[in-house]
Amino acid sequence: MFRAGLISLLSGLAISQADAQNTPDTFLYAQANAEYYILSRLDTHAIVLLGEAHFVRQDEILIRDVIEAASPDQLAVFASELWPAHEQALIDRIVTAPEWDRPAAIGILRRQGWPFEDYLALMETVWRINRDRTDDRQIRFIGLGVPGNWREAFAETGQTYDGFMADRLLAIQAETDGPILAQMGYHHAFTRYYMPDGFTDTGRVARFADRTGNRLYRELGQRVFMISLHASWNCFDGRRDWRCLPIGGAVDCAARSLDRSVGFDTNASPFANLPVTGYFYTPGQRGLEFGDMSDGYVWHTPLAGYQSVSLIPAADYVPDDDALSEARTANPFGEGFPSSEAFETIWRAEAEEMADYLDWRRWPEDERNWASRCGD
C-alpha cells in the first residue's frame, strides 16, 4: 500500500513539475517512469487500455513489471486480446493452481496460434502473484480473444471482433470491484478517435471503425483511459502506406537523450497540438492532432533498441502428435507443416527472421535514420 501511494505521489509530482517546462525534452525529462505512470492511471480509472503494436519485447516486459508492482487495490483484473475468451475456465484453473502448468498454458496459445514466450510470461506472472495471495486478493486473468473462426461464429448474431471484446470488458467491469488493465492491439484501443475503415473509389473515407475503446468510452466516459505504447504509425499518401514514426518523430527526438522509459498524458504535453497529417489516421479527420489519438503515451526506447518477442521453443510448443495437429490447425505463420521435422524447420527459419525487429517488421531505411532529422 505504501508503494502504491508513493508511486502515485511521484507520478503526480512529475506531471505537475512538467507544467513549468517549455521544451519537449525538458518536459519528458520531468515525467515519471512508464511503470509508475500506468499505475497512477489505474489509481484513477475503472479500465486502462494499453494499446500495443504486438511483437515488441519491451512492451511485454513493461506490462509484466506493472502487474508485479501493482497492489491488490491497483489491479483487480488483467485482460488480454491475445488469450481466448472461450478457454476462460482453463485460464482460471491455471492462474489459481498451486503449481505452474506451463504445458497447459502453452496449449492455450497453441490453439490460438500465438506462439510467443513473452505473452506466456504474463500469465506466469499472474500465477506467481496469486500463489502468494489469499483468494479475495488474487488477480483475475481474463481472455478477450475471439475464436479463430470468429467471422463464421458471429455471422448469425451480427457480433463483431471489437464488439465482442467491448461486451466482455463491460461485463467484467460490472462485476469487478477494482481497476482493470486491458492489453490489446493499438487500433482496438482507440477511445475518442475513430479511424477510417475503408475508402471509396474517389479516395474518400467510406466508413469509420467502431473499436473496442470507442464503445467503452461511450458507455463509461472518462472512467476509461487509453494509453498508447510507442510504436510505428502508417504513413499514407492516398495510394500506399509504409511504417514511420508518429508525428514525424517528435517524441523520439525529444526523448533521444533519455536512458529510461517515460509516460505522460498527451493533452498535457507539448506534443498535444501537433498535427497528424500524412498518416493512415488522417483522412476524414479535419484538424486531427496528437492529443486526439490517445489519453496517455509511453515511450520506452529509441527505434534502434526495439527487440522482437521470442518464440516458445519448438519442443515445448509441439511436444507430441496431438499438439502438432493443433498447431497445424491454428497455423501461426501461414505455412504448412505435415511433420514434426517440417515444423522445426519452419520454426528455426521464423526465429532467424524475427532476430532483427526492424527487418522483420519491414521498417524503411530512411525511417531508421530518423535521428538525422532531429536537428541539434
Side-chain angles (χ1 to χ4, degrees):
M1 185 65 69
F2 173 77
R3 181 176 183 183
L6 179 61
I7 286 172
S8 298
L9 175 62
L10 288 173
S11 180
L13 285 174
I15 293 171
S16 64
Q17 289 169 356
D19 291 341
Q21 307 302 323
N22 297 318
T23 63
D25 56 340
T26 53
F27 169 83
L28 289 181
Y29 184 81
Q31 300 310 294
N33 285 346
E35 173 193 326
Y36 297 163
Y37 173 73
I38 295 170
L39 288 169
S40 75
R41 294 303 169 258
L42 283 167
D43 283 336
T44 54
H45 295 84
I47 301 176
V48 172
L49 305 177
L50 293 183
E52 65 167 37
H54 299 324
F55 314 120
V56 178
R57 183 172 182 238
Q58 285 92 340
D59 286 349
E60 307 319 309
I61 292 173
L62 172 62
I63 296 171
R64 184 193 64 200
D65 289 346
V66 169
I67 294 171
E68 290 179 336
S71 71
D73 293 327
Q74 285 180 304
L75 182 60
V77 174
F78 174 70
S80 175
E81 175 196 2
L82 294 320
W83 291 83
H86 62 274
E87 300 228 42
Q88 188 62 52
L90 179 54
I91 291 172
D92 291 341
R93 181 183 69 76
I94 292 171
V95 299
T96 58
E99 302 293 334
W100 170 236
D101 193 343
R102 177 178 168 88
I106 290 175
I108 297 174
L109 290 179
R110 181 174 57 242
R111 291 185 289 275
Q112 192 71 355
W114 198 255
F116 304 109
E117 190 77 48
D118 305 71
Y119 294 88
L120 180 66
L122 296 178
M123 177 174 280
E124 185 176 6
T125 298
V126 172
W127 166 80
R128 189 173 60 252
I129 291 170
N130 286 346
R131 180 190 56 186
D132 299 328
R133 289 185 181 176
T134 58
D135 291 352
D136 61 329
R137 304 294 272 174
Q138 291 183 341
I139 299 172
R140 296 181 66 191
F141 192 112
I142 298 296
L144 299 177
V146 302
N149 65 338
W150 65 271
R151 289 182 175 84
E152 177 184 342
F154 294 162
E156 292 186 5
T157 64
Q159 181 63 282
T160 64
Y161 188 113
D162 281 279
F164 177 85
M165 291 201 295
D167 286 345
R168 187 153 173 78
L169 278 170
L170 287 168
I172 296 298
Q173 191 274 328
E175 64 186 33
T176 299
D177 183 19
I180 299 171
L181 181 66
Q183 171 196 40
M184 61 187 63
Y186 177 57
H187 290 171
H188 298 295
F190 289 131
T191 51
R192 294 174 289 114
Y193 166 77
Y194 285 81
M195 70 178 292
D197 185 27
F199 297 87
T200 67
D201 293 340
T202 61
R204 297 177 63 87
V205 175
R207 58 192 173 275
F208 292 95
D210 191 20
R211 296 299 195 177
T212 301
N214 297 140
R215 168 81 183 283
L216 294 175
Y217 189 73
R218 290 198 303 272
E219 296 283 344
L220 300 176
Q222 294 187 8
R223 297 174 66 195
V224 179
F225 195 85
M226 185 267 197
I227 298 175
S228 172
L229 304 183
H230 185 62
S232 64
W233 284 2
N234 279 29
C235 282
F236 182 63
D237 63 6
R239 301 180 307 279
R240 64 185 185 93
D241 64 283
W242 62 96
R243 294 186 186 278
C244 58
L245 290 172
I247 48 176
V251 177
D252 295 85
C253 288
R256 60 184 169 158
S257 62
L258 287 176
D259 59 359
R260 60 180 178 87
S261 65
V262 292
F264 57 89
D265 289 353
T266 52
N267 277 322
S269 76
F271 312 107
N273 301 124
L274 292 180
V276 178
T277 56
Y279 293 95
F280 178 79
Y281 307 114
T282 307
Q285 302 278 358
R286 182 176 299 175
L288 183 65
E289 297 176 337
F290 183 66
D292 300 321
M293 301 291 293
S294 64
D295 304 308
Y297 203 83
V298 161
W299 182 94
H300 46 53
T301 190
L303 178 64
Y306 276 30
Q307 297 174 345
S308 305
V309 293
S310 301
L311 289 175
I312 296 169
D316 292 352
Y317 197 71
V318 180
D320 53 40
D321 288 343
D322 289 341
L324 180 62
S325 178
E326 289 180 344
R328 186 181 295 122
T329 299
N331 208 2
F333 300 124
E335 304 274 0
F337 30 88
S339 66
S340 57
E341 291 79 9
F343 175 80
E344 290 173 1
T345 299
I346 293 169
W347 215 244
R348 285 194 298 270
E350 194 67 28
E352 290 174 3
E353 186 176 352
M354 291 172 60
D356 186 308
Y357 176 82
L358 298 184
D359 284 346
W360 182 46
R361 305 308 293 165
R362 295 177 174 81
W363 273 83
E365 283 297 329
D366 57 342
E367 286 298 319
R368 302 186 194 199
N369 298 322
W370 60 271
S372 64
R373 303 196 297 265
C374 292
D376 295 330

